[in-house]
Amino acid sequence: MPQSNDTLIRRIQRELLDHSDEELELELLEDVHNLDELFDGTAGLSEEKLVRRRYFSELFRLQGELVKLQSWVVKSGHKVVILFEGRDAAGKGGVIKRIVQRLNPRICRVAALPAPNERECTQWYFQRYVSHLPAAGEIVLFDRSWYNRAGVERVMGFCSDEQYEEFFRSVPEFERMLTRSGIQLIKYWFSISDEEQHLRFLSRAHDPLKQWKLSPMDLESRRRWEAYTKAKEIMLERTHISEAPWWVVQADDKKRARLNCIRHLLGQIPYEEVAQPSIQLPQRQRNEDYVRNPTPQELIVPEVY
């Protein structure tokens, strides 16, 4: 059902509020008690502020668990690959950002591959993804993956019917090989409604900080909504295997989707808390003949602020 202008304005305002909350997340990294200062405790808060406060509190708790998971992965030598698929503006990037926000990028990294170049188009289809797979003690998050062939390449006509069918013949065996090699493969599909995607595209179109997210391919995906739906249904049906099943995240509410996905992810990996050694800072050595040379003035960045 078409939404009224007033409804759209309220929804876009909510999107802008979500964007400001993303900035707050960056400011509230260290001290969860800052939530009390930000929201003036809990007494007398509006329902909207209570919801936001609960979101921040639970997000920080889950991110603390992700840090424990990271320590266990390093100690155990576990190898994890997590695929994030879904329509444009479904929220994949948002949950990936929250997962890696407090983790070591040398241990947990994101693979977001561009369109294949001319040389890569002549390779075995999975070849350029293989180089990004984890070694022992590593986690790799794919922001879109080899499932591009079953989605955008199929809908936009970037692959032939033969390549499309070969993908479905190959991908179950490819993923079984990964799991036999000791890689844990977790696959998420982020599901949003037609109306919600329309809203998010409108928000991006009216937000100068997000307009870069609207590519010509994104705009074309709106027109081909039904074709993408059919391609997604076929993909889930033909690639849902016991070794690497699909998990669908209901993502019309971005914040709930982030929390639900992270919580589910933590439940898929048999991690446990690893005891950390106590850290003692060594005394700095001081030499009587040491003199620090002044920095040349022309090298100093002007202090405008």
Side-chain angles (χ1 to χ4, degrees), residues 134-147:
E138 293 179 352
I139 304 170
V140 177
L141 287 67
F142 280 89
D143 186 353
R144 297 196 183 279
S145 66
W146 45 85
Y147 282 100

Side-chain angles (χ1 to χ4, degrees), residues 21 25 35 39 52-60:
D21 279 355
E25 288 174 25
L35 289 174
F39 292 104
R52 292 171 65 204
R53 190 188 193 286
R54 286 195 293 267
Y55 165 73
F56 282 123
S57 179
E58 189 65 8
L59 176 64
F60 295 155

Side-chain angles (χ1 to χ4, degrees), residues 3 58 196 279:
Q3 302 184 49
E58 189 65 8
E196 184 63 24
I279 299 175

Side-chain angles (χ1 to χ4, degrees), residues 94-199:
V95 73
I96 290 171
K97 182 189 298 184
R98 273 74 188 178
I99 290 171
V100 304
Q101 203 166 42
R102 296 174 181 33
L103 302 184
N104 185 338
R106 294 179 180 85
I107 297 169
C108 180
R109 67 180 186 273
V110 179
L113 277 61
N117 58 34
E118 185 175 350
R119 178 177 180 274
E120 289 171 332
C121 286
T122 68
Q123 295 176 341
W124 175 49
Y125 177 70
F126 299 98
Q127 187 169 336
R128 69 192 193 113
Y129 297 101
V130 169
S131 64
H132 295 274
L133 295 175
E138 293 179 352
I139 304 170
V140 177
L141 287 67
F142 280 89
D143 186 353
R144 297 196 183 279
S145 66
W146 45 85
Y147 282 100
N148 277 339
R149 174 136 296 176
V152 62
E153 290 190 21
R154 174 61 171 177
V155 174
M156 296 298 180
F158 296 155
C159 67
S160 66
D161 290 344
E162 292 77 13
Q163 290 172 322
Y164 179 67
E165 285 302 321
E166 178 56 34
F167 171 80
F168 283 125
R169 284 191 293 269
S170 298
V171 72
E173 290 308 313
F174 174 66
E175 292 180 355
R176 289 186 180 106
M177 283 193 297
L178 296 183
T179 59
R180 286 197 302 269
S181 76
I183 293 175
Q184 182 175 3
L185 178 58
I186 304 171
K187 304 186 299 194
Y188 288 113
W189 174 268
F190 279 67
S191 178
I192 58 170
S193 64
D194 188 352
E195 295 79 8
E196 184 63 24
Q197 188 190 54
H198 178 65
L199 163 74

